[in-house]
């Protein structure tokens, strides 16, 4: 999905890319789950405020990331986005009641030090768009926490439907004002599959968070770095710098340490 967004960013307005992402996501999950669970039941929630807040957070998170992705290498953006599980671990205490001890906090601090290594805020090599990725990570972390919280009340099918609802409603009004016709079938196909990939991904997130603690599940998305580095090189010719690998290694090590601590905790 991120590769497609980066490819589209050069010729399609970001607001249109995000609109396609949310609109097709909503249509896809309604068509997929509606016949089985009932169309209207997908929108029945016991926590409407939480669901709408999740949807708004995902809209902001996606907008920030898709804005940044056109300006930074895919591996760099992915590495910085790995701070999201660290934020989930930090917020799991006050928001979910999960214990976060001193070792967790030290690991979280180390992870953010790794993010600063990738961003390099001091010096001429800084790419300011990476700070948008940090904002994306913060929004997505709270989104995951709320997904975990609402899992006790709503089905995953309802949560994944609400994920893109605000984006679909808001951008369906705003985006047509600045839309640009895709250049050809490849761009049409990418705009359509953005939502398909996003819808499936967020269903799996919602489903997973019904089965396990957020602080354990979140680090699993580190596998994205392998795909991001490979696709960034093959599609865009980007070669991650040594700083990216060092920073990413520290972030990943921090997240995996937190996951290990959760696994061995009585």
């Amino acid at each position: 999905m991120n590769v497609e967004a980066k490819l589209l960013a050069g010729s399609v307005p970001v607001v249109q890319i995000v609109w396609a992402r949310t609109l097709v996501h909503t249509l896809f999950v309604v068509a997929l789950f509606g016949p089985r669970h009932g169309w209207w039941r997908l929108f029945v929630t016991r926590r409407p405020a939480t669901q709408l807040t999740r949807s708004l957070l995902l809209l902001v998170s996606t907008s920030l990331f898709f804005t940044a992705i056109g300006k930074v290498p895919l591996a760099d953006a992915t590495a910085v986005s790995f701070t999201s599980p660290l934020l989930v671990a930090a917020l799991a205490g006050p928001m979910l009641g999960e214990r976060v001890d001193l070792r967790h906090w030290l690991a979280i601090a180390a992870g953010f030090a790794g993010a600063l290594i990738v961003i390099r805020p001091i010096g001429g090599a800084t790419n300011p768009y990476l700070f948008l990725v940090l904002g994306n990570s913060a929004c997505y972390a709270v989104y995951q926490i709320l997904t975990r919280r609402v899992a006790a009340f709503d089905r995953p099918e309802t949560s994944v439907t609400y994920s893109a609802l605000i984006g679909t409603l808001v951008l369906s009004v705003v985006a047509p004002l600045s839309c640009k016709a895709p250049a050809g079938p490849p761009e049409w196909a990418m705009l359509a599959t953005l939502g398909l990939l996003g819808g499936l991904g967020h269903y799996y997130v919602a489903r997973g968070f019904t089965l396990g603690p957020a602080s354990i599940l979140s680090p699993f998305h580190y596998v994205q770095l392998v795909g991001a580095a490979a696709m960034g090189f093959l599609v865009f010719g980007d070669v991650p710098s040594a700083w990216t690998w060092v920073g990413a290694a520290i972030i990943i090590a921090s997240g995996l340490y937190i996951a290990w601590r959760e696994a061995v905790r009585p």
Side-chain angles (χ1 to χ4, degrees), residues 53-121:
T53 302
R54 287 179 62 252
S55 189
L56 179 61
L57 285 166
L58 185 60
L59 171 60
V60 176
S61 174
T62 304
S63 300
L64 290 173
F65 193 82
F66 283 2
T67 299
I69 202 73
K71 305 293 184 179
V72 299
L74 196 59
D76 287 23
T78 303
V80 175
S81 75
F82 285 168
T83 56
S84 185
L86 303 176
L87 285 167
V88 169
L91 294 172
M95 295 187 69
L96 293 177
E98 297 177 9
R99 190 178 69 182
V100 182
D101 58 24
L102 178 60
R103 295 180 182 181
H104 280 70
W105 286 114
L106 292 175
I108 291 166
F112 279 99
L116 291 177
I117 290 174
V118 178
I119 297 173
R120 284 166 284 166

Side-chain angles (χ1 to χ4, degrees), residues 133-151:
V133 183
L134 274 180
N136 151 79
S137 296
C139 291
Y140 192 65
V142 181
Y143 166 85
Q144 290 182 81
I145 289 287
L146 294 182
T147 298
R148 171 67 171 164
R149 176 180 288 179
V150 83

